[in-house]
Amino acid sequence: MVAVLFVTGFVSAGITAPLVGVWADQHGRKKLCLVFCLTYLFTCFCITIPYLPVLLLGRVAGGISTSILYSAFESWLVSSANTLAIPPSDLSTIFGRATLVNGFVATSAGVLSNELVSVTHSLASPFVASGALLVLGYVVIKASWTENYGGASSVTSLSGSDPFQIRRLAQAVRIVRADPLLLVIGLTQTCFEGSMYLFVFLWVPSLQEASTTFPAIPLPLGYIFSSFMVSMMLGSLFYTVVCAWAPGSPSDSSLTLHAKLSSLVCAASGLALAVSVSSREEATRFWAFCAFEACVGAYYPVQGMLRGTLIANEHRATLAALFRVPLNVFVVVSLLTGVSTARHAVLSASAVMLAVSALTTACFVGRTEDAVLPDQNHRPA
C-alpha cells in the first residue's frame, strides 16, 4: 500500500509537471509558490485522516506540490537575481547556502519529528507541525516577494484560447530537442533524482535488512534521517568551498566548472550506492548512504546553476518542470515493477545509471569552454 501511495504521488507529479511549469512562466512564479503552500497544506491535512481515498487525494495534491516546488521556486530565484543584476558567483553562493540551510532545517525536523511521535504517539503529528510552517511560508512569500514571469510578453499572450498551453509546451520541447546540452541536463536530472527517490523508498528496508538487532530493537529512523541531512549539509558546504576556491583559469568558466562538478557528483553517488549493495555490514551501508546524501547536497546547487545558465528566462519554469516528466515516469515504472522485493537490483541499476550520467556529462557538457551568463538570454526561445 505504501508503494501505491508513492506511485499516486509520482503519477500526479508527472501529469501536472508540464502544466505547472507553463502556468508559472505564464501567470507568475510567485503565484505558483503561494499555490504550493496551499496544496501542500492540504496534503498534510489529508495525512491526518486514515482513510484510503483521502490519503490518495492527498498524494495527488502532494504530486502537484512537488512539481511546483522543483520548478517555480528556482525559476523565481534566478529571474529575480537577473533583475537585480546579481553576479553568477553570488547566485552560486545563494544556491549553496540554500541547500545548507535546507539540510539544517531538515536535520532539526528529523529530531523534532522523532520527539513529536514519541510524545503524541501519532505518526501524523509531524505533518501537523509542517502545516503551521506552510502557513508561515505563505505569509512571508505574500508579503515580501515580487512577481516575475517568463518573459515580458508572457502575461499578455492568448492563454484563454489555449488554457493548457499546448503550443508553448511544444515550443519548449523543440528547444530541448535542438540543444544537446539541455538533453544532457535532462538526462542527469532523470538519473540522479530518479535514484534519489528510489533511495527514499529503499533506505529503511535496506538498513533493517543489515541490522543485527532488528526487529527486536527498532531503528532510530528520525536520528538516521537527521544524519542523512547533516551529510547533505556537508555536501553543500563542499560545493560552496569548491566554487569559492576553484582556480580561475580561462578554460574553467562557470558553466564548465559546474559541468565537471555535476559529473563528479554523479560518479560519487553511483559509487556510494554500489558500496551499499556490495556490503551487508550495517555500518558500511549506513555510511554509504550518508555519502550518497552528501552528493545530494552538492547536486542541487550544481544543477540549479546549470539550469540557470542554460535556460532562458522565458521558458525557465516550463523546461525545469518538463525535465521532471521522464523522471516521474522512471520512478513510477520502477515502483510498479516491485522495487521493495528487488532492492539490490534497483540500487545496482541506479548506480549504473549514475555512472552513465557522469560519463555523458563529462563528454558533452564538460567540453564547453565559454561561460554563458544567466542575465543574458543565452538560450534563444
Side-chain angles (χ1 to χ4, degrees):
M1 189 53 63
V2 174
V4 172
L5 292 173
F6 261 77
V7 167
T8 302
F10 282 108
V11 169
S12 171
I15 293 174
T16 59
L19 298 177
V20 162
V22 169
W23 289 336
D25 286 334
Q26 195 79 17
H27 302 293
R29 285 78 179 256
K30 176 183 175 180
K31 289 187 182 69
L32 264 292
C33 293
L34 291 172
V35 170
F36 162 82
C37 296
L38 298 177
T39 54
Y40 219 90
L41 181 63
F42 178 72
T43 301
C44 293
F45 169 75
C46 290
I47 291 174
T48 63
I49 302 176
Y51 180 54
L52 184 58
V54 176
L55 293 175
L56 290 173
L57 181 61
R59 292 314 306 150
V60 171
I64 297 171
S65 304
T66 301
S67 295
I68 299 174
L69 177 64
Y70 288 105
S71 58
F73 283 85
E74 179 184 297
S75 299
W76 180 88
L77 171 61
V78 175
S79 183
S80 297
N82 293 343
T83 301
L84 297 173
I86 294 177
S89 58
D90 291 344
L91 180 61
S92 173
T93 301
I94 292 172
F95 273 118
R97 290 180 179 175
T99 306
L100 177 64
V101 172
N102 181 56
F104 176 77
V105 172
T107 301
S108 303
V111 175
L112 179 61
S113 296
N114 215 70
E115 296 303 319
L116 279 175
V117 172
S118 299
V119 171
T120 63
H121 305 289
S122 170
L123 294 175
S125 56
F127 295 96
V128 176
S130 298
L133 294 177
L134 288 165
V135 172
L136 175 62
Y138 182 95
V139 172
V140 170
I141 293 172
K142 182 75 173 177
S144 61
W145 288 23
T146 57
E147 187 60 277
N148 61 53
Y149 302 88
S153 61
S154 295
V155 293
T156 60
S157 63
L158 299 177
S159 58
S161 60
D162 188 15
F164 295 106
Q165 297 297 311
I166 301 301
R167 290 190 296 271
R168 189 179 178 90
L169 272 174
Q171 184 182 16
V173 171
R174 287 194 297 271
I175 291 172
V176 175
R177 290 176 60 185
D179 194 333
L181 298 180
L182 292 180
L183 287 174
V184 172
I185 295 300
L187 172 67
T188 300
Q189 182 166 330
T190 298
C191 292
F192 191 96
E193 295 186 27
S195 301
M196 181 184 69
Y197 287 126
L198 292 176
F199 169 79
V200 169
F201 189 75
L202 292 175
W203 71 264
V204 173
S206 294
L207 289 178
Q208 288 173 342
E209 176 190 51
S211 175
T212 57
T213 59
F214 182 85
I217 302 177
L219 295 177
L221 299 181
Y223 293 110
I224 294 174
F225 174 78
S226 296
S227 299
F228 290 166
M229 294 304 100
V230 170
S231 301
M232 190 175 77
M233 292 168 61
L234 293 175
S236 68
L237 284 174
F238 168 78
Y239 165 79
T240 303
V241 170
V242 168
C243 289
W245 293 95
S249 64
S251 62
D252 273 343
S253 65
S254 174
L255 177 58
T256 305
L257 172 63
H258 284 84
K260 291 178 179 179
L261 284 174
S262 178
S263 181
L264 175 64
V265 166
C266 287
S269 58
L271 178 61
L273 291 184
V275 170
S276 73
V277 171
S278 63
S279 174
R280 290 187 172 275
E281 186 180 344
E282 182 180 7
T284 302
R285 191 168 290 185
F286 169 76
W287 288 113
F289 287 165
C290 286
F292 179 81
E293 285 291 342
C295 294
V296 173
Y299 164 83
Y300 277 113
V302 167
Q303 193 76 353
M305 280 298 295
L306 286 174
R307 284 194 294 258
T309 301
L310 292 171
I311 302 176
N313 181 61
E314 183 178 353
H315 292 280
R316 180 165 288 123
T318 302
L319 290 179
L322 196 62
F323 287 156
R324 297 190 64 78
V325 174
L327 160 66
N328 286 291
V329 171
F330 166 72
V331 175
V332 168
V333 171
S334 299
L335 290 175
L336 290 177
T337 52
V339 165
S340 60
T341 58
R343 290 189 294 272
H344 290 189
V346 170
L347 291 175
S348 298
S350 296
V352 171
M353 287 194 312
L354 288 166
V356 171
S357 178
L359 291 173
T360 305
T361 304
C363 291
F364 288 93
V365 186
R367 295 178 181 176
T368 303
E369 297 296 333
D370 297 324
V372 187
L373 299 180
D375 55 349
Q376 306 166 339
N377 282 325
H378 25 269
R379 292 291 178 211

